[in-house]
Amino acid sequence: VASHRVERRNGDAVVLGGLRNDGDSAVRSVRVEAAYYDAGGRLVDLCGWYVATALVAGEDKPFKIACGGTPDRPAPESASVRLRVVEGF
């Protein structure tokens, strides 16, 4: 994950960012996980999504992960988010 930011949209927690493949070969089925933590460091939500079907060596690609929520039932508030690539082959 090269960069990211978190936005609130209609009760939803949305991560917008960019992936970069710094490796020497292509990867497929890239899945990124977003872990949301409160100010005390406790996990409040965990979301993940397949964000790229393929990423060739040296390629940059934008991504978005929406973490559930509606105006009536918003996603939990969080103080921080940590991202990690959990799958790619």
Side-chain angles (χ1 to χ4, degrees):
V1 177
S3 64
H4 75 280
R5 72 179 187 276
V6 180
E7 295 183 1
R8 301 289 289 191
R9 295 181 180 177
N10 296 318
D12 203 354
V14 178
V15 176
L16 300 167
L19 290 175
R20 182 181 316 114
N21 181 354
D22 290 329
D24 295 328
S25 59
V27 292
R28 298 184 320 242
S29 296
V30 180
R31 184 173 188 270
V32 175
E33 184 177 84
Y36 294 83
Y37 295 89
D38 66 14
R42 292 178 301 267
L43 181 68
V44 295
D45 212 345
L46 182 66
C47 305
W49 200 253
Y50 288 93
V51 296
T53 55
L55 202 61
V56 299
E59 184 178 13
D60 291 308
K61 193 171 276 192
F63 72 89
K64 176 176 113 174
I65 300 172
C67 200
T70 65
D72 295 334
R73 298 186 69 189
E77 290 294 327
S78 62
S80 65
V81 63
R82 294 181 203 147
L83 301 178
R84 68 184 186 128
V85 175
V86 293
E87 188 173 326
F89 56 90

